[in-house]
Amino acid sequence: MVLEFDPAFIQAPEHRPRPAVTEAGSIPLIDLSPLHLLEQHGGPLVAGLEVLVAQVEAACRDWGFFQVINHGVPLAVVERAWAASRGFFALPPEERRRVRRDEVNPLGYYEAENTKNVRDWKEVFDFVVHEPAVIPSPGEAGGGVDRLIELRNQWPQLPHGFREALVEYAQATEELAFKLLELISLTLSLPPKRLHGFFKDQTSFIRLNHYPPCPSPHLALGVGRHKDAGALTILAQDDVGGLDVRRRSDGEWVRVKPIPNSFIINVGDIVQVWSNDKYESAEHRVSVNSERERFSIPLFFNPAHYVMVKPLAELVDEKNPANYEEYNWGEFFKTRKNSNFKKLDVENIQIYHFKKANVGQHPTTSVTARARRTTK
């Protein structure tokens, strides 16, 4: 056991999980089989796909979250990834720490991550989908977007087959991510591959999450409330459950019920900005329990470090002006990573810091100023 409960895990009273979280009115469930039928037969946008696009549009607009079935990722690939994850976290602590991450290389194993300056009850293993992944240097002084580093994965020697299973999983879920990206493009009345160019030299990464049984689940969270910074997240979760989504209609927390062989999809901050607030990144968290360990595997689908994120040109005009100033993804990503690694004296960077004056302006900080610089 690596985690021992101490005050660093305790959430503020207003953010502690309640004993009962509703599963009623849970997130939409979408069948992606029309996508595969279209791939097999080719042809124009058929009626079945139009229905699918409408379902994705409604889910993104009303929830920012949805579950997908018949997604095309082979069950055997997912099962090998689960086995690799369980095998790694079953290793002795000293073996896991051989690939422990640090402030220079944020990849590998870690057991002391913070969300909104409160420690999460979890341990993780991170790896990038394509290596090397290039990001701005994490150093504060003299940082800036002109200093870049290459991130390379730290693969453990044990369990056997770990790397091979997860590389296979990464390839399969990345393919699904691009299909979902095309569907989201269609919901915005854009060509299917309109957003693909942002993902050349992508900074996507996959995380293995392990949430051990918690002695005080009424005080702590596996992951505190947050919104995902990237474009899309594709999450596999086991049958234990614990992912809570804040329902937009009433602000209540809703537990996402595990469905076998499904993925949970949520749009991140980047899609919110690209869509000029047609879609909103949803707040979510992970609750823990005192009896069963829980595992999950999210893919965080992120663009290249040099991408300047702003509302898409096709979606803005005089009647619908851009709601956001552009910002540099690499600087944004670096700052969020730093805040996960250590506690900060101020709130970490959020997209509302880039809201334009016509939709509410927040004070510019040195962090947001750096993120506004252009990287080439």
Side-chain angles (χ1 to χ4, degrees):
M1 178 67 175
V2 173
L3 302 182
E4 294 184 3
F5 199 84
D6 65 46
F9 292 103
I10 297 177
Q11 295 282 329
E14 65 270 23
H15 299 307
R16 294 173 190 169
R18 295 185 303 179
V21 177
T22 181
E23 285 187 353
S26 192
I27 66 175
L29 177 64
I30 298 177
D31 185 347
L32 294 183
S33 56
L35 273 183
H36 313 305
L37 292 172
L38 187 63
E39 289 174 354
Q40 293 171 12
H41 301 292
L45 193 64
V46 294
L49 192 53
E50 289 178 343
V51 171
L52 177 58
V53 169
Q55 291 174 333
V56 172
E57 180 178 18
C60 292
R61 182 190 64 235
D62 299 338
W63 279 90
F65 263 83
F66 55 97
Q67 281 182 283
V68 296
I69 56 174
N70 297 320
H71 41 68
V73 178
L75 178 59
V77 171
V78 179
E79 288 178 339
R80 282 192 286 271
W82 283 128
S85 177
R86 290 177 180 275
F88 176 77
F89 290 114
L91 293 172
E94 59 272 17
E95 193 68 33
R96 300 201 292 277
R97 291 192 183 108
R98 289 178 184 270
V99 289
R100 193 176 190 269
R101 81 188 197 195
D102 55 35
E103 290 187 66
V104 176
N105 184 2
L107 301 177
Y109 172 73
Y110 200 54
E111 78 295 343
E113 190 163 82
N114 299 297
T115 301
K116 295 187 182 294
N117 285 333
V118 180
R119 189 172 170 187
D120 296 330
W121 185 264
K122 69 179 181 186
E123 50 182 345
V124 305
F125 179 88
D126 290 348
F127 66 98
V128 291
V129 174
H130 294 282
E131 62 176 336
V134 178
I135 65 168
S137 170
E140 293 292 336
V145 295
D146 55 333
R147 293 185 56 201
L148 302 174
I149 61 171
E150 292 185 346
L151 299 184
R152 296 187 181 274
N153 293 323
Q154 297 192 80
W155 295 110
Q157 293 183 344
L158 297 174
H160 297 299
F162 181 83
R163 176 176 183 171
E164 292 78 9
L166 294 175
V167 168
E168 179 185 41
Y169 179 84
Q171 292 170 345
T173 50
E174 182 194 22
E175 185 177 337
L176 174 60
F178 275 110
K179 292 176 182 176
L180 292 166
L181 198 68
E182 291 183 14
L183 285 172
I184 289 174
S185 294
L186 290 170
T187 70
L188 298 172
S189 300
L190 299 172
K193 298 185 185 299
R194 169 63 175 88
L195 304 174
H196 280 36
F198 296 122
F199 293 86
K200 181 185 178 183
D201 307 320
Q202 63 180 269
T203 56
S204 303
F205 70 99
I206 287 177
R207 165 166 290 180
L208 310 181
N209 285 316
H210 176 225
Y211 305 95
C214 179
S216 300
H218 60 294
L219 297 177
L221 288 167
V223 183
R225 74 200 192 284
H226 68 286
K227 297 183 176 185
D228 290 352
L232 292 174
T233 303
I234 298 177
L235 174 76
Q237 68 166 346
D238 64 12
D239 62 350
V240 175
L243 174 64
D244 302 328
V245 178
R246 191 184 289 278
R247 187 163 51 201
R248 198 161 297 155
S249 60
D250 58 9
E252 290 295 313
W253 289 105
V254 176
R255 177 67 45 83
V256 179
K257 185 177 180 179
I259 296 176
N261 198 23
S262 69
F263 286 104
I264 299 163
I265 314 300
N266 64 284
V267 300
D269 289 344
I270 290 177
V271 167
Q272 178 171 336
V273 174
W274 279 342
S275 72
N276 206 32
D277 287 335
K278 177 178 180 178
Y279 303 141
E280 182 180 342
S281 178
E283 191 171 43
H284 52 288
R285 69 183 187 189
V286 175
S287 296
V288 290
N289 70 84
S290 60
E291 298 176 354
R292 297 182 65 189
E293 62 182 345
R294 177 177 180 267
F295 296 86
S296 69
I297 309 177
L299 160 66
F300 298 100
F301 195 48
N302 299 331
H305 75 89
Y306 49 75
V307 166
M308 299 300 294
V309 181
K310 61 182 178 180
L312 297 170
E314 299 94 327
L315 304 182
V316 298
D317 54 32
E318 290 184 2
K319 293 183 179 179
N320 299 288
N323 291 341
Y324 297 89
E325 302 281 356
E326 67 176 14
Y327 64 89
N328 173 257
W329 165 246
E331 281 292 327
F332 193 101
F333 178 72
K334 176 187 77 172
T335 306
R336 288 289 283 265
K337 274 288 188 184
N338 285 350
S339 70
N340 290 345
F341 191 88
K342 58 186 178 182
K343 287 190 175 185
L344 302 177
D345 295 329
V346 296
E347 179 191 27
N348 63 3
I349 193 170
Q350 307 289 341
I351 57 170
Y352 65 68
H353 292 127
F354 302 96
K355 278 275 192 178
K356 287 193 171 183
N358 62 320
V359 286
Q361 183 68 53
H362 287 257
T364 299
T365 66
S366 60
V367 168
T368 58
R370 286 201 303 273
R372 285 189 175 122
R373 300 178 193 170
T374 303
T375 305
K376 296 295 183 185

